[in-house]
Amino acid sequence: MKRAVAMAFVALTTVSCGATPPVASSAPSPEPPASSPSAPASPTASPTATPSSTAPPAFAAKVTAVARDRLPYSWRPGCPVHYRDLRLVTLSYWGFDNKPHTGELVVHKSVTDDIVTVFRKLYGWRWPIRQMKLVDAFKADDYASIEADNTSAFNCRRATGSSNWSNHAYGKAIDVNPRENPYVTASGSTAHKNAEKFTERPMKGKGVINPGDKVVKAFAQVGWEWGGYWSGTKDLQHFSKGGG
């Protein structure tokens, strides 16, 4: 009898404390909540890629009256036009550094539309210009402005080698990239050493103007003539309304 009781006690102990619980006590793992699985991403949910670069600013031009103090060297009493008949054109241009810039030109009030029309095209073509400052930045010294490869327009001065007024003195001429497009004598020489390699035409190069190219045509379409078509001496930088 004692032995039977002892065996029953051992059996009870095995059921309640054993390492392996009875099969009947093992319940299946609960199902995860319905909301826990991650829903597949919608193909339209990804953000739109942002361009790495932005377009250059649009061409802009502004025409205003010229204050007398903006022309301390280039205008004086006795010039063939009064400074009140001149206009300051502030406009966009494409630089030699392949970036947009803002420059200034002074021209006669009657040709402001011509200038804006042409330089809008040049900017759209990204045709390069070295710099564009009033010639007064060089104390109206034409030689110094050319040495700096400066594109400029009005300057109350005589025509080169003449006692007559230049068309620049009327605000109806402009010199474009004068280093790349020098004044060349009939013998083929130029006064600027930094321009000597640019005396031949046609030739390739940044900011170079050639006979019949799109720059010449753009000016011709608004009635401006190119000094590169002169016989003998050629002024490759020079465009003027009506010639001269």
Side-chain angles (χ1 to χ4, degrees):
M1 180 66 176
K2 291 181 179 179
R3 184 175 181 182
V5 172
M7 292 180 63
F9 176 77
V10 172
L12 180 61
T13 303
T14 303
V15 171
S16 61
C17 303
T20 305
V23 174
S25 66
S26 300
S29 301
E31 291 292 333
S35 61
S36 62
S38 300
S42 168
T44 60
S46 58
T48 303
T50 302
S52 58
S53 60
T54 57
F59 175 84
K62 182 179 180 181
V63 179
T64 58
V66 185
R68 174 69 182 92
D69 61 6
R70 292 300 313 274
L71 310 174
Y73 304 102
S74 64
W75 186 89
R76 61 191 178 277
C79 290
V81 295
H82 200 281
Y83 75 87
R84 293 192 185 94
D85 292 326
L86 301 172
R87 295 292 181 268
L88 175 67
V89 185
T90 305
L91 50 74
S92 308
Y93 71 92
W94 203 258
F96 271 47
D97 58 0
N98 201 34
K99 295 179 182 179
H101 297 270
T102 300
E104 293 181 321
L105 295 169
V106 169
V107 297
H108 193 271
K109 63 183 179 181
S110 64
V111 299
T112 56
D113 287 348
D114 296 347
I115 291 297
V116 172
T117 296
V118 171
F119 280 89
R120 185 188 301 276
K121 291 180 180 180
L122 299 188
Y123 185 81
W125 297 329
R126 298 193 179 187
W127 194 84
I129 294 171
R130 177 84 64 182
Q131 63 173 326
M132 189 188 296
K133 299 178 181 179
L134 303 191
V135 75
D136 293 84
F138 305 90
K139 297 185 177 181
D141 185 333
D142 188 56
Y143 188 92
S145 182
I146 290 173
E147 278 287 294
D149 204 12
N150 181 55
T151 294
S152 66
F154 173 76
N155 192 5
C156 185
R157 64 174 179 82
R158 305 291 177 174
T160 302
S162 171
S163 60
N164 297 324
W165 289 114
S166 165
N167 258 18
H168 287 280
Y170 296 90
K172 296 182 179 181
I174 184 171
D175 291 337
V176 181
N177 291 343
R179 175 175 177 259
E180 288 75 22
N181 305 290
Y183 181 92
V184 183
T185 67
S187 64
S189 65
T190 181
H192 300 269
K193 291 188 177 298
N194 64 3
E196 287 178 350
K197 66 179 181 180
F198 295 103
T199 56
E200 299 294 329
R201 286 299 184 275
M203 70 175 298
K204 294 181 178 180
K206 182 180 287 188
V208 169
I209 302 168
N210 282 295
D213 71 10
K214 59 186 179 183
V215 178
V216 174
K217 290 178 180 178
F219 275 101
Q221 287 168 0
V222 294
W224 289 56
E225 297 179 15
W226 182 45
Y229 287 145
W230 295 353
S231 60
T233 295
K234 297 185 183 301
D235 201 352
L236 303 174
Q237 65 202 259
H238 183 84
F239 291 92
S240 59
K241 186 79 169 184

